[in-house]
Amino acid sequence: MSIKEGQLVYLYGGERASYLILYYPGKRFSTHLGEVILPSDVSFGDSLTTNTGRKFYLLRPTTSDLAMKVRRTTTIIYPKDAGYMLLEAGIGSGSRVLEVGSGSGALTIILAMAVGEDGKVYSFERRKEFMENAMENVKRAGLEERVEFFNMDPASEGFPVENLDAAFVDVPEPWTLARPVHEALMGGGRWISLSPTIEQVQMTFDALEEGFVRLKCVEILEREILVRRGKTRPRERMVSHTGYVVTASKVNAK
Amino acid sequence: MSIKEGQLVYLYGGERASYLILYYPGKRFSTHLGEVILPSDVSFGDSLTTNTGRKFYLLRPTTSDLAMKVRRTTTIIYPKDAGYMLLEAGIGSGSRVLEVGSGSGALTIILAMAVGEDGKVYSFERRKEFMENAMENVKRAGLEERVEFFNMDPASEGFPVENLDAAFVDVPEPWTLARPVHEALMGGGRWISLSPTIEQVQMTFDALEEGFVRLKCVEILEREILVRRGKTRPRERMVSHTGYVVTASKVNAK
Amino acid sequence: MSIKEGQLVYLYGGERASYLILYYPGKRFSTHLGEVILPSDVSFGDSLTTNTGRKFYLLRPTTSDLAMKVRRTTTIIYPKDAGYMLLEAGIGSGSRVLEVGSGSGALTIILAMAVGEDGKVYSFERRKEFMENAMENVKRAGLEERVEFFNMDPASEGFPVENLDAAFVDVPEPWTLARPVHEALMGGGRWISLSPTIEQVQMTFDALEEGFVRLKCVEILEREILVRRGKTRPRERMVSHTGYVVTASKVNAK
Amino acid sequence: MSIKEGQLVYLYGGERASYLILYYPGKRFSTHLGEVILPSDVSFGDSLTTNTGRKFYLLRPTTSDLAMKVRRTTTIIYPKDAGYMLLEAGIGSGSRVLEVGSGSGALTIILAMAVGEDGKVYSFERRKEFMENAMENVKRAGLEERVEFFNMDPASEGFPVENLDAAFVDVPEPWTLARPVHEALMGGGRWISLSPTIEQVQMTFDALEEGFVRLKCVEILEREILVRRGKTRPRERMVSHTGYVVTASKVNAK
């Protein structure tokens, strides 16, 4: 199956030489391992050779790749966290979900993949330049039909959408959104927030005590194992903290 | 939005009193906190009171709930692992994926949620009674249209499907499937396996060296934080090992 | 080298059948794997057979064994934490250290091992029955000459000792001891406390801001690897939290 | 208590500005935060000010400081591992222990602190330049009386000492030492080795199956918590692997 013009390709030349690029036949691409020219009529799984003789593969990007390779204006969410959050939200194709703030659009892309063509992501970001970068990243991933962006601050203004399946909250003061999110969710809808500090978690728990049940906080750790014949061991350094995930379910007023 | 007859409900009465049940008006359900009778015309987010005065909520099941509450004939996959695996597979609505072995159907349900109505999960299980239990669990989750089960051993017979986006392998000898999975995947398609022991990982790496690139092994750890006013701390015991996740991308023969 | 009468022996019949006992020739000891009679003239490293044919070894107790096998009236400190704490205290043979609360005496024993015959542990416990149990445990380990117990509350009364090398604090409100410990330590002396909750740590940090520098908080995790031919993997469950260790150095008033 | 000439001092000007130095009155010491001149008649816990107005404290070095601040010719052992190893060895003041390889002397220093003036560390290193550096580091810590160094390879030659309490093995092929260490230990004596790869652990377990019981493998993880008002969280990166600790007890031939 040939790669189409404008399609995203994960150009893989090893762990430290991998790039998410848009495919156009004849396009030149320079890496520290040499230059490649993208040929016409290639398929995913094919390989290329740089002018210096190094091999690169044309791979299909994973969802993690799409998220991790966005142009960043903020810290981004890690797949280890996003994967857990997705399953805790109970969303799938056709779901309608809220995202507050868009950040660099990494989670927006993951959510857009999850809700499919029939679903919708409503993504709110109060800093205009961040929103524009996120839109650009979502568009590059070819997912712009599934996302509606809002440049506003829902903590004060509330959300112009309702009856949503889940809300993903990644802002410095998630507790300010407990009321507006409660109004925007359908009964039983899920709150999913991510915060780096324990004090943010404590204040979020306090705010969710009214209108939500099933509050839970976890952290997810990812540890790589280097598997090499006779020399297998965990990698020596790792990301030891990104954030705490808080989940809860909306309940209806008595 | 009223809950419909036959719909799955997460009946939540606290962390140690939660049940995944099928909703039928008038149905009686007994718990160690008393008995409830499911009323007609209720919505997600509503609450009930048991005959002993305890409160239960009718919540929307998360994907994790669907997976963790299957009837088990085998050890099941944990959401912490499944979420990471999903994002590493790069699948979404419309994807066609392979699963070898079905086990209890926990991952089957997660995959069926991810591929949506337009996608398909081809799930292989050689032990017939396990397959039948998995089918039952998938059906209960209302996802049977999205899954095709096969009671066969693809290590010897190969797969009767091809051009797939990703393969999820959870069998004791994943390395025996490297060849047949390579044939079943499209170029650039993803291998995702989960194995409890380091020796299984080593043999899988060996087998994937031909025909696959971008091999990686990680383990995912989930740690719960108990957030209580003035007494916040990590839970004192945790599941410290489920399995190692191995991922790779299929490349085409030169 | 023969084991002497009254000496502690670690009777080892496997991971789930091990006992810390006092050696007396002719003594009978019953286990779920049968009964042994301790012979005369045996050495460490020798083996015995129970009346049901199971083998037990007479091993030398480790410091961890001495601590973990005390009679418990409280939760006890784990070797993973105690080992780190010892090295952070900078103590050795001849050191004079403070311990507040004695608890079950597990840490008292570890400290007594570390300071040797020329050192001294001053151990404070306000609950008399706990102190008496701790004394009993220390005596059983043969270390009573190295420890002086005090049944008092130093938070209100202060310490009757001074110029100490380090203070080990394991009480619910460590911050109440910042002043009295500062007075009891020599210049540059070390504060080492252990607390289960993050709020305790925060209040301790606040209290140590005056009179101490080099404040640090860590948690230590121990994960067992089950090494078995062809089936090597981490143990499936672990203790995921005991406490946070806080360390600091006393500085002199300007 | 005045600091004596030639005594080790931990000069502390913050987490990124701390130095282990030998005290001599009038000595100048330059840091990236300015220069200090060590005054006469100062005590531990006193402070100094650099020529640029920054404050430094004269602290008593912890055992961890002595180990971590050695001049390194090799990777060194971390206190998190060494603390656990010490307690598993059951050694204290007066113990006689074996160390194979000396490395940079970091563990040698920790062991010398533990065995006190009445104990002895026999430290073996086959690379002469490493041994000489380790000797230099031990001497600087003032512990040279407690350590005897040997420039030889005990895997082939055996050990010229016997009846030891414990052996600490940190070499690439620990399994080659199982026999010689067995001969050098007293009955019930402890084997403690540290290895970075899982294959080393597997081969060590195989070798210890004869002559040792109570085999155990653990890894120790240290995670720092940054405690700051309103912004408490784990540090974002950590050392995720140093090595696996293997412990065992020598048993006598039947």
Side-chain angles (χ1 to χ4, degrees):
Chain A
M1 211 169 53
S2 296
I3 303 175
K4 296 182 201 115
E5 283 198 28
Q7 205 169 355
L8 275 175
V9 170
Y10 193 76
L11 188 66
Y12 177 80
E15 195 191 345
R16 286 154 189 277
S18 55
Y19 310 90
L20 189 64
I21 62 171
L22 292 167
Y23 171 75
Y24 292 101
K27 180 178 182 173
R28 285 164 185 278
F29 190 79
S30 284
T31 80
H32 66 281
L33 301 179
E35 190 187 71
V36 291
I37 301 173
L38 301 182
S40 52
D41 196 27
V42 282
S43 299
F44 283 114
D46 286 352
S47 63
L48 305 174
T49 305
T50 66
N51 60 345
T52 61
R54 300 293 294 256
K55 208 169 193 176
F56 273 83
Y57 293 94
L58 301 163
L59 300 182
R60 303 207 308 159
T62 66
T63 310
S64 299
D65 295 333
L66 297 180
M68 296 295 281
K69 296 282 190 183
V70 293
R71 196 170 79 85
R72 303 185 186 192
T73 53
T74 59
T75 56
I76 65 159
I77 200 163
Y78 276 63
K80 69 182 177 73
D81 297 317
Y84 175 85
M85 290 161 75
L86 270 187
L87 295 192
E88 283 296 312
I91 61 174
S93 109
S95 295
R96 296 170 61 246
V97 306
L98 204 57
E99 182 191 33
V100 210
S102 316
S104 298
L107 180 59
T108 324
I109 286 169
I110 291 170
L111 296 176
M113 288 287 288
V115 302
E117 290 180 13
D118 301 333
K120 186 68 85 177
V121 180
Y122 303 98
S123 185
F124 293 77
E125 175 58 60
R126 59 183 164 189
R127 294 152 303 179
K128 198 168 184 207
E129 69 282 16
F130 287 9
M131 187 188 78
E132 283 164 358
N133 177 61
M135 289 175 79
E136 202 56 49
N137 282 323
V138 168
K139 191 174 177 186
R140 187 161 177 259
L143 296 165
E144 69 273 25
E145 296 294 323
R146 307 180 184 182
V147 184
E148 198 169 327
F149 282 97
F150 296 83
N151 178 213
M152 55 176 282
D153 180 359
S156 52
E157 305 171 49
F159 293 99
V161 283
E162 58 180 10
N163 227 16
L164 301 175
D165 294 288
F168 294 82
V169 180
D170 183 4
V171 298
E173 301 184 336
W175 56 90
T176 62
L177 291 162
R179 286 304 88 212
V181 163
H182 190 272
E183 280 167 35
L185 286 175
M186 61 168 59
R190 294 285 283 168
W191 165 285
I192 318 279
S193 61
L194 181 74
S195 299
T197 78
I198 195 68
E199 287 88 351
Q200 288 169 310
V201 168
Q202 289 168 323
M203 294 189 70
T204 302
F205 261 62
D206 279 354
L208 294 177
E209 248 173 35
E210 199 184 334
F212 292 87
V213 296
R214 205 186 176 190
L215 279 63
K216 189 173 179 183
C217 174
V218 308
E219 54 177 345
I220 303 290
L221 298 167
E222 175 185 342
R223 198 175 183 212
E224 188 176 354
I225 313 296
L226 302 176
V227 181
R228 300 162 178 170
R229 276 204 194 119
K231 293 184 296 183
T232 301
R233 60 170 178 76
R235 190 180 280 278
E236 287 171 342
R237 295 194 162 264
M238 70 181 256
V239 172
S240 47
H241 185 66
T242 51
Y244 298 105
V245 179
V246 173
T247 54
S249 292
K250 167 180 170 170
V251 291
N252 305 323
K254 175 183 60 299
Chain B
M1 212 169 53
S2 296
I3 304 175
K4 294 182 202 117
E5 283 198 27
Q7 205 169 354
L8 276 175
V9 170
Y10 193 75
L11 187 67
Y12 176 80
E15 197 192 342
R16 286 156 189 277
S18 56
Y19 310 91
L20 189 63
I21 62 171
L22 292 168
Y23 172 74
Y24 292 101
K27 180 178 182 173
R28 284 164 186 279
F29 190 79
S30 285
T31 80
H32 67 281
L33 302 179
E35 190 187 70
V36 291
I37 301 174
L38 301 182
S40 53
D41 196 26
V42 281
S43 298
F44 283 115
D46 286 351
S47 62
L48 305 174
T49 305
T50 67
N51 60 346
T52 60
R54 300 293 293 257
K55 210 169 194 175
F56 272 84
Y57 292 93
L58 300 164
L59 300 182
R60 302 207 308 161
T62 67
T63 309
S64 299
D65 295 332
L66 297 179
M68 295 296 279
K69 297 281 189 183
V70 293
R71 194 171 81 85
R72 304 186 186 190
T73 54
T74 59
T75 56
I76 64 161
I77 201 164
Y78 276 63
K80 67 179 179 76
D81 297 317
Y84 175 86
M85 290 160 74
L86 270 187
L87 296 192
E88 283 297 311
I91 61 173
S93 110
S95 295
R96 295 170 62 245
V97 306
L98 205 57
E99 183 191 33
V100 209
S102 315
S104 299
L107 180 59
T108 323
I109 287 170
I110 292 170
L111 296 175
M113 287 288 287
V115 301
E117 290 179 13
D118 301 334
K120 187 68 85 179
V121 180
Y122 302 98
S123 186
F124 293 78
E125 176 58 59
R126 59 183 163 190
R127 294 152 302 181
K128 198 168 185 210
E129 69 283 15
F130 286 10
M131 187 189 77
E132 283 164 358
N133 177 60
M135 288 176 78
E136 202 56 47
N137 283 323
V138 168
K139 191 173 177 187
R140 186 160 177 259
L143 296 164
E144 70 272 24
E145 296 294 324
R146 307 179 184 183
V147 184
E148 198 170 328
F149 281 96
F150 297 82
N151 179 214
M152 55 176 281
D153 180 359
S156 52
E157 304 172 51
F159 293 99
V161 281
E162 59 179 10
N163 227 16
L164 300 174
D165 294 287
F168 294 83
V169 180
D170 183 4
V171 298
E173 301 184 338
W175 55 90
T176 61
L177 291 162
R179 287 304 89 213
V181 163
H182 190 272
E183 280 167 35
L185 287 174
M186 60 167 62
R190 294 285 283 167
W191 166 285
I192 318 279
S193 60
L194 181 73
S195 298
T197 77
I198 196 67
E199 288 88 352
Q200 288 170 309
V201 168
Q202 289 168 324
M203 295 189 70
T204 302
F205 262 62
D206 280 354
L208 294 176
E209 247 172 34
E210 199 183 336
F212 291 87
V213 296
R214 205 187 176 188
L215 279 63
K216 190 174 178 182
C217 174
V218 308
E219 54 177 345
I220 303 291
L221 298 166
E222 175 186 342
R223 196 175 184 213
E224 188 177 355
I225 314 296
L226 302 176
V227 181
R228 300 162 177 170
R229 273 200 197 125
K231 294 185 295 184
T232 302
R233 61 169 178 76
R235 189 180 281 277
E236 286 172 343
R237 297 196 160 263
M238 68 181 259
V239 172
S240 48
H241 185 65
T242 50
Y244 299 103
V245 180
V246 173
T247 54
S249 292
K250 167 181 170 171
V251 291
N252 306 322
K254 185 181 51 291
Chain C
M1 210 170 53
S2 295
I3 304 176
K4 295 181 201 118
E5 283 199 27
Q7 205 169 357
L8 276 175
V9 171
Y10 193 74
L11 187 65
Y12 176 79
E15 195 191 344
R16 286 156 190 277
S18 56
Y19 310 90
L20 189 64
I21 62 171
L22 291 168
Y23 172 76
Y24 292 101
K27 180 178 183 172
R28 286 165 185 275
F29 190 78
S30 284
T31 79
H32 66 282
L33 301 179
E35 191 188 71
V36 291
I37 301 173
L38 300 183
S40 54
D41 195 26
V42 281
S43 299
F44 283 114
D46 286 351
S47 62
L48 305 175
T49 306
T50 67
N51 60 345
T52 61
R54 301 292 294 256
K55 207 169 195 177
F56 273 83
Y57 293 93
L58 300 164
L59 301 182
R60 302 207 308 158
T62 66
T63 310
S64 300
D65 294 333
L66 297 179
M68 296 296 279
K69 297 281 190 186
V70 293
R71 195 171 80 86
R72 303 185 187 192
T73 53
T74 60
T75 56
I76 63 160
I77 201 164
Y78 276 63
K80 69 180 177 74
D81 297 317
Y84 174 86
M85 290 160 73
L86 270 188
L87 297 192
E88 283 296 312
I91 61 174
S93 110
S95 295
R96 295 170 60 247
V97 306
L98 204 57
E99 182 190 33
V100 208
S102 317
S104 299
L107 180 59
T108 322
I109 287 169
I110 292 171
L111 296 176
M113 287 288 288
V115 301
E117 290 179 14
D118 300 332
K120 186 68 86 177
V121 180
Y122 303 97
S123 186
F124 293 77
E125 175 58 59
R126 58 181 163 191
R127 294 153 301 182
K128 198 168 185 208
E129 69 281 17
F130 286 9
M131 186 188 79
E132 283 165 357
N133 177 61
M135 287 176 79
E136 201 56 48
N137 283 322
V138 167
K139 191 174 178 188
R140 186 160 177 259
L143 297 165
E144 70 273 24
E145 297 293 323
R146 306 179 184 184
V147 184
E148 196 169 330
F149 281 97
F150 297 83
N151 178 214
M152 55 176 281
D153 180 0
S156 53
E157 306 171 51
F159 293 98
V161 281
E162 58 180 11
N163 227 14
L164 301 174
D165 294 288
F168 293 82
V169 180
D170 183 3
V171 298
E173 302 184 336
W175 56 89
T176 61
L177 292 162
R179 286 306 87 213
V181 163
H182 190 274
E183 280 168 35
L185 287 175
M186 61 168 60
R190 294 285 284 167
W191 166 285
I192 318 279
S193 61
L194 181 73
S195 299
T197 77
I198 195 68
E199 288 89 351
Q200 288 170 310
V201 169
Q202 290 168 323
M203 294 188 71
T204 302
F205 262 62
D206 279 355
L208 295 176
E209 249 173 34
E210 199 182 336
F212 291 87
V213 297
R214 206 187 176 189
L215 279 63
K216 190 173 179 182
C217 174
V218 309
E219 54 177 344
I220 303 291
L221 298 166
E222 174 185 342
R223 198 176 183 210
E224 187 176 355
I225 313 296
L226 303 176
V227 180
R228 300 161 178 171
R229 273 199 197 126
K231 294 184 295 183
T232 302
R233 61 171 177 76
R235 191 180 279 278
E236 286 172 342
R237 296 195 161 263
M238 68 181 258
V239 172
S240 48
H241 185 65
T242 49
Y244 299 104
V245 180
V246 173
T247 54
S249 292
K250 166 178 171 172
V251 291
N252 305 323
K254 186 180 54 278
Chain D
M1 208 170 55
S2 295
I3 304 175
K4 296 180 201 116
E5 282 199 27
Q7 205 169 356
L8 275 175
V9 170
Y10 194 74
L11 188 65
Y12 177 79
E15 196 190 344
R16 287 155 189 279
S18 55
Y19 310 90
L20 189 64
I21 62 171
L22 292 168
Y23 172 75
Y24 292 101
K27 180 178 181 173
R28 285 165 185 277
F29 190 78
S30 284
T31 80
H32 66 280
L33 301 179
E35 191 186 72
V36 290
I37 301 173
L38 300 182
S40 53
D41 195 26
V42 281
S43 298
F44 283 114
D46 286 351
S47 63
L48 306 175
T49 305
T50 66
N51 59 345
T52 61
R54 300 293 295 257
K55 209 169 193 175
F56 273 82
Y57 292 93
L58 300 163
L59 301 182
R60 300 208 309 160
T62 67
T63 310
S64 299
D65 295 332
L66 297 180
M68 296 296 280
K69 298 280 190 186
V70 294
R71 195 171 79 85
R72 302 185 187 191
T73 53
T74 59
T75 55
I76 64 160
I77 202 165
Y78 276 64
K80 69 179 178 75
D81 297 317
Y84 175 86
M85 290 160 74
L86 270 188
L87 296 192
E88 283 296 312
I91 61 174
S93 109
S95 295
R96 294 170 62 248
V97 306
L98 204 57
E99 182 190 34
V100 209
S102 316
S104 298
L107 180 59
T108 323
I109 287 170
I110 292 170
L111 296 175
M113 288 288 287
V115 301
E117 289 180 14
D118 301 333
K120 187 68 86 177
V121 181
Y122 303 97
S123 185
F124 293 77
E125 174 58 58
R126 59 182 162 189
R127 294 152 302 180
K128 196 167 187 210
E129 69 281 16
F130 287 9
M131 187 189 77
E132 283 164 358
N133 177 60
M135 288 176 79
E136 201 56 48
N137 283 322
V138 168
K139 191 174 178 187
R140 186 159 177 260
L143 298 164
E144 70 272 25
E145 297 293 324
R146 307 180 184 182
V147 184
E148 198 170 328
F149 282 96
F150 296 83
N151 178 212
M152 56 175 281
D153 180 0
S156 52
E157 305 171 51
F159 293 99
V161 282
E162 59 180 10
N163 226 17
L164 300 175
D165 295 288
F168 293 82
V169 180
D170 183 3
V171 298
E173 301 184 337
W175 56 90
T176 61
L177 291 162
R179 286 305 88 212
V181 163
H182 190 272
E183 280 168 36
L185 286 175
M186 61 167 60
R190 295 284 283 167
W191 166 284
I192 318 278
S193 61
L194 181 73
S195 299
T197 78
I198 194 69
E199 288 88 352
Q200 288 169 311
V201 169
Q202 289 168 323
M203 295 188 70
T204 302
F205 262 62
D206 279 354
L208 295 176
E209 248 172 34
E210 199 183 336
F212 292 87
V213 297
R214 206 187 177 192
L215 279 63
K216 189 173 179 182
C217 173
V218 308
E219 53 176 347
I220 303 291
L221 298 166
E222 174 186 343
R223 197 176 184 212
E224 188 178 355
I225 314 296
L226 303 175
V227 181
R228 299 162 178 171
R229 275 201 195 124
K231 294 184 294 183
T232 302
R233 60 171 178 76
R235 190 179 280 277
E236 287 172 342
R237 295 194 161 265
M238 68 182 259
V239 172
S240 47
H241 185 67
T242 49
Y244 298 104
V245 179
V246 173
T247 54
S249 291
K250 166 178 170 172
V251 291
N252 305 324
K254 183 179 52 297

